[in-house]
Amino acid sequence: MFPSTIYSERRKKLRSELPGGIALFLGNTDIAFNYPANQYTFRQDSNFSYFFGLDHPDLAGLIDLDEGKDIIFGNDLDISDIIWMGKQPTIAEQAAKAGVSVTFPLIELIEYIGIAVAKGRRIHFVPTYRAETRIQLAGLLANDHLKIQDKASPELIRAIVKLRMVKDEPEVKEIEKMIDVAYIMHTTAMKMAKPGVVEQQIAGTIEGIALANAGPVSFPVILTVNGQTLHNHYHGNILNEGRMMVIDAGCENDLHYASDITRTVPVGGKFSQRQMEIYEIVLKANMEAINAVKPGVPFKDIHLLAARVIAKGLTGLGLMKGEPDEAVAKGAHTLFFPHGLGHPLGLDVHDLEGMGENYVGYDNEVQRSKEFGLAYLRFGRKLQPGFVMTIEPGIYFIPELFEIWKNENRHAEFINYDKVEQYLDFGGIRIEDDVLVTADGVRVLGRPIPKTVSEIEEMMAG
Ligand code: GLY
Protein backbone atom coordinates (compact mmCIF):
# COMPACT_ATOMS: atom_id res chain seq x y z
CA MET A 1 0.00 0.00 0.00
CA PHE A 2 0.96 3.65 -0.35
CA PRO A 3 1.43 5.63 2.90
CA SER A 4 -1.91 6.15 4.70
CA THR A 5 -1.83 9.90 4.01
CA ILE A 6 -2.28 9.25 0.29
CA TYR A 7 -5.60 7.47 0.91
CA SER A 8 -6.76 10.11 3.42
CA GLU A 9 -5.90 12.86 0.97
CA ARG A 10 -7.78 11.14 -1.86
CA ARG A 11 -10.90 10.81 0.29
CA LYS A 12 -10.59 14.45 1.39
CA LYS A 13 -10.43 15.56 -2.25
CA LEU A 14 -13.43 13.39 -3.09
CA ARG A 15 -15.39 14.97 -0.23
CA SER A 16 -14.70 18.41 -1.62
CA GLU A 17 -16.21 17.37 -4.96
CA LEU A 18 -19.50 16.05 -3.59
CA PRO A 19 -22.53 17.88 -2.21
CA GLY A 20 -23.46 15.58 0.69
CA GLY A 21 -24.84 12.19 1.64
CA ILE A 22 -22.82 8.99 1.73
CA ALA A 23 -20.31 7.67 -0.80
CA LEU A 24 -20.40 3.90 -0.64
CA PHE A 25 -17.64 1.67 -2.04
CA LEU A 26 -18.27 -2.06 -1.99
CA GLY A 27 -15.04 -4.02 -2.25
CA ASN A 28 -15.07 -7.15 -4.39
CA THR A 29 -15.94 -10.60 -3.13
CA ASP A 30 -14.35 -13.90 -4.06
CA ILE A 31 -15.89 -15.48 -7.16
CA ALA A 32 -16.29 -19.26 -7.42
CA PHE A 33 -14.41 -20.93 -10.27
CA ASN A 34 -16.02 -24.37 -10.35
CA TYR A 35 -17.20 -24.84 -6.77
CA PRO A 36 -17.46 -22.39 -3.88
CA ALA A 37 -14.13 -23.07 -2.19
CA ASN A 38 -12.19 -23.01 -5.46
CA GLN A 39 -12.06 -19.40 -6.53
CA TYR A 40 -10.70 -17.16 -9.25
CA THR A 41 -7.70 -15.13 -8.19
CA PHE A 42 -9.08 -12.30 -6.12
CA ARG A 43 -9.06 -8.85 -7.72
CA GLN A 44 -10.04 -5.85 -5.61
CA ASP A 45 -12.33 -3.21 -7.05
CA SER A 46 -10.24 -0.34 -8.40
CA ASN A 47 -12.23 2.44 -6.72
CA PHE A 48 -12.06 0.65 -3.40
CA SER A 49 -8.30 0.26 -3.93
CA TYR A 50 -7.92 3.92 -4.80
CA PHE A 51 -9.69 5.28 -1.73
CA PHE A 52 -9.13 2.52 0.85
CA GLY A 53 -6.15 0.46 -0.38
CA LEU A 54 -6.96 -2.83 1.36
CA ASP A 55 -6.67 -5.82 -0.88
CA HIS A 56 -8.85 -8.69 0.25
CA PRO A 57 -12.49 -9.74 -0.18
CA ASP A 58 -15.56 -8.76 1.80
CA LEU A 59 -14.85 -5.17 2.71
CA ALA A 60 -16.86 -2.01 2.25
CA GLY A 61 -15.65 1.56 2.51
CA LEU A 62 -17.93 4.42 3.35
CA ILE A 63 -17.34 8.14 3.25
CA ASP A 64 -20.00 9.93 5.27
CA LEU A 65 -19.93 13.32 3.61
CA ASP A 66 -22.25 14.99 6.11
CA GLU A 67 -20.57 13.71 9.25
CA GLY A 68 -16.98 13.86 7.92
CA LYS A 69 -16.36 10.22 8.83
CA ASP A 70 -14.62 7.48 6.86
CA ILE A 71 -15.48 3.91 7.84
CA ILE A 72 -14.28 0.47 6.80
CA PHE A 73 -16.67 -2.42 7.27
CA GLY A 74 -15.14 -5.91 7.42
CA ASN A 75 -14.82 -8.98 9.58
CA ASP A 76 -11.93 -10.07 11.74
CA LEU A 77 -10.96 -13.70 11.26
CA ASP A 78 -12.25 -16.31 13.64
CA ILE A 79 -10.31 -19.42 14.61
CA SER A 80 -11.67 -21.56 11.78
CA ASP A 81 -10.50 -18.90 9.25
CA ILE A 82 -7.14 -18.73 10.97
CA ILE A 83 -6.66 -22.51 10.68
CA TRP A 84 -6.94 -22.25 6.89
CA MET A 85 -5.59 -18.76 6.21
CA GLY A 86 -3.21 -18.04 9.07
CA LYS A 87 -3.38 -15.13 11.45
CA GLN A 88 -4.04 -11.78 9.73
CA PRO A 89 -4.01 -8.19 11.01
CA THR A 90 -7.35 -7.08 12.45
CA ILE A 91 -9.62 -4.90 10.37
CA ALA A 92 -8.77 -1.98 12.67
CA GLU A 93 -5.05 -2.54 12.11
CA GLN A 94 -5.56 -2.77 8.37
CA ALA A 95 -7.83 0.28 8.27
CA ALA A 96 -5.16 2.34 10.04
CA LYS A 97 -2.92 1.72 7.03
CA ALA A 98 -5.52 3.53 4.91
CA GLY A 99 -5.83 6.37 7.45
CA VAL A 100 -9.25 5.14 8.64
CA SER A 101 -9.88 4.96 12.36
CA VAL A 102 -13.51 3.79 12.42
CA THR A 103 -14.31 0.15 11.62
CA PHE A 104 -17.37 -2.06 12.02
CA PRO A 105 -18.20 -5.68 11.24
CA LEU A 106 -19.56 -6.05 7.71
CA ILE A 107 -23.06 -6.92 8.90
CA GLU A 108 -23.41 -3.44 10.41
CA LEU A 109 -23.31 -1.88 6.97
CA ILE A 110 -26.93 -2.99 6.53
CA GLU A 111 -28.06 -0.96 9.53
CA TYR A 112 -25.89 2.07 8.68
CA ILE A 113 -27.28 2.29 5.17
CA GLY A 114 -30.81 1.41 6.33
CA ILE A 115 -30.86 4.33 8.78
CA ALA A 116 -29.43 6.69 6.18
CA VAL A 117 -32.03 5.66 3.61
CA ALA A 118 -34.84 6.03 6.17
CA LYS A 119 -33.65 9.59 6.80
CA GLY A 120 -33.76 10.30 3.07
CA ARG A 121 -30.01 10.71 2.81
CA ARG A 122 -28.41 10.35 -0.60
CA ILE A 123 -26.31 7.21 -1.10
CA HIS A 124 -23.80 7.74 -3.89
CA PHE A 125 -22.41 4.66 -5.60
CA VAL A 126 -20.81 3.91 -8.96
CA PRO A 127 -21.98 1.51 -11.68
CA THR A 128 -21.26 -2.11 -10.90
CA TYR A 129 -19.63 -4.63 -13.23
CA ARG A 130 -20.15 -7.78 -11.13
CA ALA A 131 -23.45 -9.51 -10.41
CA GLU A 132 -22.37 -10.15 -6.80
CA THR A 133 -21.91 -6.44 -6.14
CA ARG A 134 -25.17 -5.59 -7.85
CA ILE A 135 -27.07 -8.03 -5.66
CA GLN A 136 -25.32 -6.78 -2.51
CA LEU A 137 -26.06 -3.18 -3.40
CA ALA A 138 -29.67 -3.91 -4.30
CA GLY A 139 -30.09 -5.66 -0.94
CA LEU A 140 -28.62 -2.74 1.00
CA LEU A 141 -30.78 -0.22 -0.81
CA ALA A 142 -33.90 -2.40 -0.93
CA ASN A 143 -33.96 -2.11 -4.67
CA ASP A 144 -34.27 -4.35 -7.74
CA HIS A 145 -30.85 -5.72 -8.69
CA LEU A 146 -31.80 -5.42 -12.36
CA LYS A 147 -32.48 -1.71 -12.00
CA ILE A 148 -29.90 -0.68 -9.40
CA GLN A 149 -27.40 0.25 -12.11
CA ASP A 150 -29.62 3.14 -13.21
CA LYS A 151 -29.34 4.69 -9.76
CA ALA A 152 -25.56 5.14 -9.87
CA SER A 153 -24.54 8.67 -8.90
CA PRO A 154 -23.39 10.88 -11.80
CA GLU A 155 -21.83 13.28 -9.26
CA LEU A 156 -19.73 10.50 -7.74
CA ILE A 157 -18.76 9.18 -11.17
CA ARG A 158 -17.62 12.63 -12.32
CA ALA A 159 -15.73 13.27 -9.09
CA ILE A 160 -13.89 9.94 -9.29
CA VAL A 161 -13.05 10.44 -12.97
CA LYS A 162 -11.66 13.89 -12.14
CA LEU A 163 -9.43 12.51 -9.38
CA ARG A 164 -8.30 9.22 -10.88
CA MET A 165 -7.56 10.55 -14.35
CA VAL A 166 -4.73 12.72 -13.00
CA LYS A 167 -1.93 10.44 -11.84
CA ASP A 168 0.56 11.66 -9.28
CA GLU A 169 4.22 10.71 -9.23
CA PRO A 170 3.85 7.60 -6.99
CA GLU A 171 1.15 6.26 -9.33
CA VAL A 172 3.25 6.92 -12.43
CA LYS A 173 6.15 5.07 -10.77
CA GLU A 174 3.91 2.03 -10.22
CA ILE A 175 2.80 2.09 -13.85
CA GLU A 176 6.40 2.37 -14.99
CA LYS A 177 7.41 -0.62 -12.89
CA MET A 178 4.76 -2.61 -14.72
CA ILE A 179 6.03 -1.42 -18.10
CA ASP A 180 9.48 -2.58 -17.08
CA VAL A 181 8.02 -6.05 -16.47
CA ALA A 182 6.25 -5.77 -19.82
CA TYR A 183 9.70 -5.16 -21.31
CA ILE A 184 10.72 -8.65 -20.19
CA MET A 185 7.43 -10.13 -21.43
CA HIS A 186 7.72 -8.54 -24.85
CA THR A 187 11.41 -9.11 -25.48
CA THR A 188 11.02 -12.75 -24.39
CA ALA A 189 8.11 -13.15 -26.84
CA MET A 190 10.22 -11.58 -29.59
CA LYS A 191 13.04 -14.03 -29.02
CA MET A 192 10.64 -16.98 -28.97
CA ALA A 193 8.87 -16.03 -32.22
CA LYS A 194 10.49 -18.68 -34.37
CA PRO A 195 8.88 -20.87 -37.05
CA GLY A 196 7.36 -24.05 -35.58
CA VAL A 197 6.61 -22.59 -32.16
CA VAL A 198 2.95 -22.64 -31.06
CA GLU A 199 1.52 -19.30 -29.93
CA GLN A 200 0.43 -20.87 -26.63
CA GLN A 201 4.04 -21.58 -25.66
CA ILE A 202 4.89 -17.88 -25.93
CA ALA A 203 1.62 -16.63 -24.43
CA GLY A 204 2.04 -18.96 -21.44
CA THR A 205 5.66 -18.00 -20.96
CA ILE A 206 4.96 -14.29 -20.88
CA GLU A 207 1.99 -14.73 -18.56
CA GLY A 208 4.38 -16.59 -16.25
CA ILE A 209 6.83 -13.70 -16.47
CA ALA A 210 4.06 -11.34 -15.33
CA LEU A 211 3.23 -13.56 -12.38
CA ALA A 212 6.85 -14.15 -11.46
CA ASN A 213 7.82 -10.48 -11.55
CA ALA A 214 4.65 -8.59 -10.68
CA GLY A 215 1.11 -9.86 -10.55
CA PRO A 216 -1.37 -11.21 -13.05
CA VAL A 217 -1.61 -9.98 -16.61
CA SER A 218 -3.69 -6.81 -16.73
CA PHE A 219 -5.95 -8.34 -19.42
CA PRO A 220 -5.91 -11.68 -21.21
CA VAL A 221 -2.80 -11.86 -23.38
CA ILE A 222 -3.36 -11.10 -27.06
CA LEU A 223 -0.69 -13.00 -28.95
CA THR A 224 -1.41 -14.09 -32.46
CA VAL A 225 -0.33 -14.40 -36.04
CA ASN A 226 -3.87 -13.39 -36.91
CA GLY A 227 -3.49 -9.83 -35.68
CA GLN A 228 -6.23 -8.67 -38.04
CA THR A 229 -8.58 -9.79 -35.25
CA LEU A 230 -8.04 -6.96 -32.79
CA HIS A 231 -8.53 -8.87 -29.54
CA ASN A 232 -7.47 -12.34 -30.60
CA HIS A 233 -7.14 -14.62 -27.56
CA TYR A 234 -6.79 -17.85 -29.54
CA HIS A 235 -3.28 -19.20 -29.03
CA GLY A 236 -3.35 -22.43 -31.04
CA ASN A 237 -1.57 -21.40 -34.25
CA ILE A 238 1.87 -22.63 -35.23
CA LEU A 239 4.17 -19.79 -36.20
CA ASN A 240 5.21 -19.78 -39.83
CA GLU A 241 7.78 -17.64 -41.61
CA GLY A 242 6.06 -14.82 -43.49
CA ARG A 243 3.56 -14.03 -40.72
CA MET A 244 3.60 -11.09 -38.34
CA MET A 245 2.94 -11.83 -34.67
CA VAL A 246 1.05 -9.28 -32.59
CA ILE A 247 1.87 -9.26 -28.87
CA ASP A 248 -0.50 -7.05 -26.87
CA ALA A 249 0.18 -7.69 -23.20
CA GLY A 250 0.81 -6.07 -19.86
CA CYS A 251 0.61 -6.84 -16.19
CA GLU A 252 -0.48 -5.32 -12.92
CA ASN A 253 1.08 -5.22 -9.48
CA ASP A 254 -0.23 -5.66 -5.95
CA LEU A 255 -1.55 -2.09 -6.00
CA HIS A 256 -3.23 -2.92 -9.35
CA TYR A 257 -1.48 -0.35 -11.51
CA ALA A 258 -1.24 -1.73 -15.02
CA SER A 259 0.84 -1.70 -18.16
CA ASP A 260 -0.44 -2.24 -21.69
CA ILE A 261 2.08 -2.55 -24.52
CA THR A 262 1.82 -3.85 -28.07
CA ARG A 263 4.59 -4.89 -30.39
CA THR A 264 4.34 -6.67 -33.72
CA VAL A 265 7.23 -8.75 -35.00
CA PRO A 266 7.99 -10.88 -38.06
CA VAL A 267 8.08 -14.60 -37.30
CA GLY A 268 11.71 -15.67 -37.67
CA GLY A 269 13.13 -12.23 -36.92
CA LYS A 270 13.50 -10.58 -40.36
CA PHE A 271 10.95 -8.20 -41.88
CA SER A 272 10.12 -8.84 -45.53
CA GLN A 273 9.89 -5.78 -47.77
CA ARG A 274 6.07 -5.91 -47.66
CA GLN A 275 6.00 -6.25 -43.88
CA MET A 276 8.50 -3.44 -43.43
CA GLU A 277 6.51 -1.07 -45.63
CA ILE A 278 3.34 -1.50 -43.61
CA TYR A 279 5.26 -1.54 -40.31
CA GLU A 280 6.97 1.79 -41.04
CA ILE A 281 3.60 3.45 -41.61
CA VAL A 282 2.24 2.24 -38.25
CA LEU A 283 5.47 3.26 -36.53
CA LYS A 284 5.25 6.75 -38.02
CA ALA A 285 1.63 7.01 -36.85
CA ASN A 286 2.68 5.88 -33.36
CA MET A 287 5.57 8.34 -33.13
CA GLU A 288 3.77 11.33 -34.64
CA ALA A 289 0.81 10.72 -32.36
CA ILE A 290 3.10 10.57 -29.32
CA ASN A 291 4.81 13.79 -30.36
CA ALA A 292 1.44 15.52 -30.64
CA VAL A 293 0.46 14.69 -27.06
CA LYS A 294 0.33 17.75 -24.82
CA PRO A 295 -2.11 19.44 -22.47
CA GLY A 296 -5.07 21.11 -24.13
CA VAL A 297 -5.02 18.95 -27.28
CA PRO A 298 -8.17 16.89 -27.83
CA PHE A 299 -7.21 13.22 -28.03
CA LYS A 300 -9.64 12.92 -30.93
CA ASP A 301 -7.40 15.28 -32.94
CA ILE A 302 -4.40 13.06 -32.23
CA HIS A 303 -6.41 10.00 -33.28
CA LEU A 304 -7.22 11.75 -36.56
CA LEU A 305 -3.58 12.78 -37.00
CA ALA A 306 -2.56 9.11 -36.72
CA ALA A 307 -5.32 8.22 -39.18
CA ARG A 308 -3.95 10.75 -41.68
CA VAL A 309 -0.43 9.33 -41.35
CA ILE A 310 -1.86 5.89 -42.05
CA ALA A 311 -3.92 7.08 -45.03
CA LYS A 312 -0.94 8.92 -46.47
CA GLY A 313 1.31 5.88 -46.07
CA LEU A 314 -1.22 3.52 -47.62
CA THR A 315 -1.74 5.95 -50.48
CA GLY A 316 2.02 5.94 -51.03
CA LEU A 317 1.89 2.14 -51.31
CA GLY A 318 -1.05 2.28 -53.71
CA LEU A 319 -3.49 0.61 -51.32
CA MET A 320 -5.42 3.86 -51.00
CA LYS A 321 -5.77 6.66 -53.51
CA GLY A 322 -6.95 10.25 -53.73
CA GLU A 323 -6.30 12.92 -51.13
CA PRO A 324 -5.43 11.24 -47.78
CA ASP A 325 -6.82 14.05 -45.60
CA GLU A 326 -10.10 13.89 -47.48
CA ALA A 327 -10.12 10.09 -47.18
CA VAL A 328 -9.80 10.41 -43.40
CA ALA A 329 -12.46 13.12 -43.21
CA LYS A 330 -14.81 10.69 -44.96
CA GLY A 331 -13.74 7.68 -42.88
CA ALA A 332 -12.15 5.62 -45.68
CA HIS A 333 -9.09 4.77 -43.57
CA THR A 334 -11.28 2.80 -41.15
CA LEU A 335 -11.08 -0.20 -43.47
CA PHE A 336 -7.49 -0.49 -42.22
CA PHE A 337 -7.61 1.33 -38.84
CA PRO A 338 -11.07 0.68 -37.43
CA HIS A 339 -10.32 1.24 -33.73
CA GLY A 340 -9.46 4.18 -31.53
CA LEU A 341 -5.94 5.48 -30.95
CA GLY A 342 -5.88 4.66 -27.26
CA HIS A 343 -7.39 4.88 -23.81
CA PRO A 344 -6.51 5.98 -20.28
CA LEU A 345 -4.36 3.56 -18.27
CA GLY A 346 -4.05 3.28 -14.50
CA LEU A 347 -5.66 1.06 -11.91
CA ASP A 348 -7.63 -0.50 -14.76
CA VAL A 349 -6.03 -1.29 -18.06
CA HIS A 350 -8.88 0.66 -19.64
CA ASP A 351 -8.80 3.05 -16.75
CA LEU A 352 -12.17 3.95 -15.24
CA GLU A 353 -14.08 2.24 -18.04
CA GLY A 354 -16.48 0.78 -15.49
CA MET A 355 -17.68 4.33 -14.80
CA GLY A 356 -19.00 4.55 -18.37
CA GLU A 357 -16.72 5.44 -21.27
CA ASN A 358 -18.47 8.68 -22.10
CA TYR A 359 -18.04 10.04 -18.57
CA VAL A 360 -14.31 9.37 -18.88
CA GLY A 361 -13.53 10.19 -22.48
CA TYR A 362 -16.02 12.81 -23.57
CA ASP A 363 -17.49 16.07 -22.32
CA ASN A 364 -19.62 18.98 -23.53
CA GLU A 365 -16.84 20.13 -25.82
CA VAL A 366 -15.95 16.82 -27.45
CA GLN A 367 -18.82 14.41 -28.01
CA ARG A 368 -18.62 10.83 -29.13
CA SER A 369 -19.00 10.22 -32.84
CA LYS A 370 -21.47 7.66 -34.15
CA GLU A 371 -19.43 7.01 -37.31
CA PHE A 372 -17.86 3.61 -37.88
CA GLY A 373 -14.30 3.66 -36.55
CA LEU A 374 -14.47 6.96 -34.69
CA ALA A 375 -17.26 5.56 -32.53
CA TYR A 376 -14.72 3.06 -31.14
CA LEU A 377 -12.53 5.89 -29.88
CA ARG A 378 -12.88 5.47 -26.12
CA PHE A 379 -11.47 8.89 -25.28
CA GLY A 380 -11.75 12.08 -27.32
CA ARG A 381 -11.57 15.04 -24.96
CA LYS A 382 -8.70 17.42 -24.22
CA LEU A 383 -5.63 16.04 -22.49
CA GLN A 384 -4.45 17.35 -19.13
CA PRO A 385 -1.14 17.03 -17.27
CA GLY A 386 -1.09 13.77 -15.31
CA PHE A 387 -3.21 11.78 -17.75
CA VAL A 388 -1.66 8.43 -18.70
CA MET A 389 -2.78 7.24 -22.12
CA THR A 390 -2.00 4.41 -24.48
CA ILE A 391 -1.04 5.31 -28.04
CA GLU A 392 -1.79 2.31 -30.22
CA PRO A 393 -2.38 2.85 -33.92
CA GLY A 394 -2.58 -0.14 -36.23
CA ILE A 395 -3.12 -1.32 -39.78
CA TYR A 396 -5.18 -4.45 -40.32
CA PHE A 397 -6.35 -6.43 -43.31
CA ILE A 398 -9.65 -7.90 -42.15
CA PRO A 399 -10.98 -10.15 -44.95
CA GLU A 400 -14.58 -10.07 -43.70
CA LEU A 401 -14.64 -6.27 -43.50
CA PHE A 402 -12.94 -6.04 -46.89
CA GLU A 403 -15.65 -8.26 -48.46
CA ILE A 404 -18.45 -6.06 -47.15
CA TRP A 405 -16.83 -2.83 -48.23
CA LYS A 406 -15.85 -4.20 -51.65
CA ASN A 407 -19.35 -5.50 -52.33
CA GLU A 408 -20.75 -2.08 -51.46
CA ASN A 409 -17.96 -0.33 -53.36
CA ARG A 410 -17.64 1.75 -50.22
CA HIS A 411 -15.27 4.72 -50.50
CA ALA A 412 -14.18 3.40 -53.91
CA GLU A 413 -12.64 6.79 -54.71
CA PHE A 414 -10.10 6.21 -51.89
CA ILE A 415 -9.50 2.43 -51.87
CA ASN A 416 -7.67 0.37 -54.46
CA TYR A 417 -9.64 -2.80 -53.85
CA ASP A 418 -7.62 -4.88 -56.33
CA LYS A 419 -4.38 -4.04 -54.59
CA VAL A 420 -5.79 -4.49 -51.07
CA GLU A 421 -7.01 -7.96 -52.08
CA GLN A 422 -3.36 -8.99 -52.43
CA TYR A 423 -2.84 -8.22 -48.71
CA LEU A 424 -5.68 -10.27 -47.26
CA ASP A 425 -3.18 -12.86 -45.98
CA PHE A 426 -1.16 -10.19 -44.18
CA GLY A 427 -2.76 -10.09 -40.73
CA GLY A 428 -2.29 -6.88 -38.77
CA ILE A 429 0.21 -4.62 -37.10
CA ARG A 430 -0.32 -2.59 -33.93
CA ILE A 431 2.33 -0.64 -32.00
CA GLU A 432 1.41 0.60 -28.53
CA ASP A 433 3.19 2.65 -25.89
CA ASP A 434 2.03 4.13 -22.60
CA VAL A 435 2.59 7.86 -22.21
CA LEU A 436 2.25 10.50 -19.52
CA VAL A 437 0.91 13.95 -20.39
CA THR A 438 3.37 16.34 -18.73
CA ALA A 439 3.02 20.07 -18.01
CA ASP A 440 4.24 20.93 -21.48
CA GLY A 441 4.25 17.76 -23.53
CA VAL A 442 4.67 14.05 -23.17
CA ARG A 443 6.90 11.39 -21.61
CA VAL A 444 6.92 7.83 -22.93
CA LEU A 445 6.82 5.69 -19.80
CA GLY A 446 9.04 2.82 -18.77
CA ARG A 447 12.06 1.12 -20.21
CA PRO A 448 11.97 1.53 -24.01
CA ILE A 449 10.90 -1.72 -25.64
CA PRO A 450 12.39 -2.39 -29.12
CA LYS A 451 10.16 -0.69 -31.64
CA THR A 452 12.04 0.25 -34.81
CA VAL A 453 12.68 -2.38 -37.48
CA SER A 454 16.38 -2.56 -36.63
CA GLU A 455 15.78 -2.67 -32.84
CA ILE A 456 13.32 -5.54 -33.28
CA GLU A 457 15.51 -7.49 -35.67
CA GLU A 458 18.46 -7.05 -33.32
CA MET A 459 16.46 -8.25 -30.30
CA MET A 460 15.06 -11.23 -32.19
CA ALA A 461 18.53 -12.23 -33.33
CA GLY A 462 19.83 -12.07 -29.74
N1 GLY B 1 -4.48 -3.77 -24.97
C1 GLY B 1 -5.80 -4.28 -24.94
C2 GLY B 1 -6.83 -3.21 -25.01
O1 GLY B 1 -6.52 -2.04 -25.06
O2 GLY B 1 -8.01 -3.50 -25.01
Side-chain angles (χ1 to χ4, degrees), residues 21 35 81 245 449:
Y35 56 90
D81 297 321
M245 185 179 84
I449 299 174

Side-chain angles (χ1 to χ4, degrees), residues 217-277:
V217 287
S218 44
F219 56 96
V221 169
I222 297 163
L223 187 142
T224 181
V225 289
N226 286 322
Q228 74 279 7
T229 303
L230 304 183
H231 280 181
N232 199 333
H233 298 300
Y234 175 74
H235 298 144
N237 296 302
I238 298 171
L239 271 50
N240 286 315
E241 197 106 32
R243 301 292 295 168
M244 298 293 291
M245 185 179 84
V246 171
I247 316 145
D248 184 348
C251 53
E252 62 171 48
N253 60 10
D254 53 352
L255 294 174
H256 303 303
Y257 287 91
S259 56
D260 181 4
I261 299 283
T262 306
R263 292 291 182 266
T264 308
V265 302
V267 172
K270 280 268 166 223
F271 284 84
S272 68
Q273 183 63 27
R274 188 171 84 145
Q275 289 170 337
M276 199 184 312
E277 285 168 357

Side-chain angles (χ1 to χ4, degrees), residues 15-60:
R15 246 183 249 120
S16 72
E17 296 287 336
L18 290 170
I22 284 174
L24 176 62
F25 296 92
L26 297 179
N28 278 337
T29 57
D30 269 325
I31 306 276
F33 181 57
N34 53 342
Y35 56 90
N38 199 28
Q39 294 143 351
Y40 288 100
T41 304
F42 175 72
R43 171 53 154 89
Q44 186 55 285
D45 173 71
S46 297
N47 283 321
F48 186 91
S49 271
Y50 186 79
F51 291 109
F52 294 95
L54 306 186
D55 201 31
H56 66 81
D58 302 323
L59 296 167

Side-chain angles (χ1 to χ4, degrees), residues 219-220 222 231 248-249 260-262 343 349-350 378 390 392 430 432:
F219 56 96
I222 297 163
H231 280 181
D248 184 348
D260 181 4
I261 299 283
T262 306
H343 52 81
V349 71
H350 289 182
R378 300 177 196 280
T390 69
E392 47 179 313
R430 179 163 63 254
E432 175 180 22

Side-chain angles (χ1 to χ4, degrees), residues 193-208:
K194 300 201 185 312
V197 174
V198 181
E199 292 164 342
Q200 184 179 2
Q201 292 172 265
I202 310 177
T205 301
I206 67 172
E207 186 152 355

Side-chain angles (χ1 to χ4, degrees), residues 439-461:
D440 54 3
V442 64
R443 180 157 75 82
V444 180
L445 295 177
R447 182 176 179 189
I449 299 174
K451 184 160 88 162
T452 64
V453 165
S454 59
E455 285 165 358
I456 288 175
E457 288 189 345
E458 199 177 313
M459 177 57 67
M460 294 181 81

